[in-house]
Each structure stands twice: as C-alpha cells, then as structure tokens.
C-alpha cells in the first residue's frame, strides 16, 4: 500500500508543478486560484511522502517521488505547455521510468 501512496504523492507533485506553471501564465484571481491549487497539491504530496517514509527507505521513496514528478511534469509540459519534444528528451524520460521501476524491484 505504501507504493500506491508513493505513486499518488508523485502525481500530486505533478499537480503542484502544473499549477505553478499555470499561475505563471495568468494574473489576478485566476493566478490566485492556481496558487491555491499549488498549495493544496503541495500539502497532499508532502503528507503522503512523509507517511510513506515511515515504511520505505527515505532514499528510495524520495528518488521514486521525484522521478514520478519529473516524468509527469515533463509530460504535462509537452502536452499542455507545448514544450519541444525530440528523441533524446523521450529517451532520457524513459530511462528515468526504467530507473524508478528498477528501484521498486530492488527495494524491500
């Protein structure tokens, strides 16, 4: 169950990064709402990460959490923010996922 919570925490990391990007693009009330989403996602992500580190090694949990966040944020950047996509970017993105899966298999 801890791995499920860790994945959810990573997805909320993607959420807070996305909200931060959207807040940067807007102004006024809309930016404030995006910042509200940022803080909510941040709080949920950190709470879940804290809970998970009670059972999983901190190094593994943190690496997987940041990996999920990095992968998801790059994916959102490509799909939502129209960031460039090319072979090497995708190649390293998938090596990141392979590393996360590898950490799952070698962790107790």
């Amino acid at each position: 169950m801890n791995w499920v919570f860790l994945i959810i925490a990573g997805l909320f990391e993607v959420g807070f990064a996305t909200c931060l990007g959207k807040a940067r693009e807007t102004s006024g009330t809309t930016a404030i709402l995006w910042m509200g989403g940022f803080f909510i996602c941040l709080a949920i992500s950190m709470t879940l990460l804290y809970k998970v580190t009670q059972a999983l090694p901190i190094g593994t949990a943190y690496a997987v959490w940041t990996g999920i966040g990095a992968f998801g944020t790059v994916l959102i950047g490509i799909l939502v923010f129209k960031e460039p996509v090319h072979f090497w970017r995708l190649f390293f993105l998938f090596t990141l996922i392979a590393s996360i899966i590898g950490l799952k298999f070698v962790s107790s």
Side-chain angles (χ1 to χ4, degrees), residues 47-92:
T47 301
L48 289 172
L49 181 61
Y50 172 76
K51 179 180 176 9
V52 165
T53 59
Q54 304 302 307
L56 296 176
I58 185 72
T60 300
Y62 185 74
V64 170
W65 178 76
T66 57
I68 291 168
F71 177 83
T73 303
V74 169
L75 203 57
I76 292 294
I78 291 169
L79 298 174
V80 174
F81 297 108
K82 307 298 183 215
E83 293 177 358
V85 57
H86 50 78
F87 171 78
W88 288 111
R89 192 166 193 195
L90 294 177
F91 173 79
F92 288 116

Side-chain angles (χ1 to χ4, degrees), residues 4 9 13 15 17 21 24 37 43 50 73 79 95 97 103 105:
V4 172
E13 182 186 3
R24 187 185 63 175
Y50 172 76
T73 303
L79 298 174
T95 59
I97 291 301
L103 280 173
F105 284 118

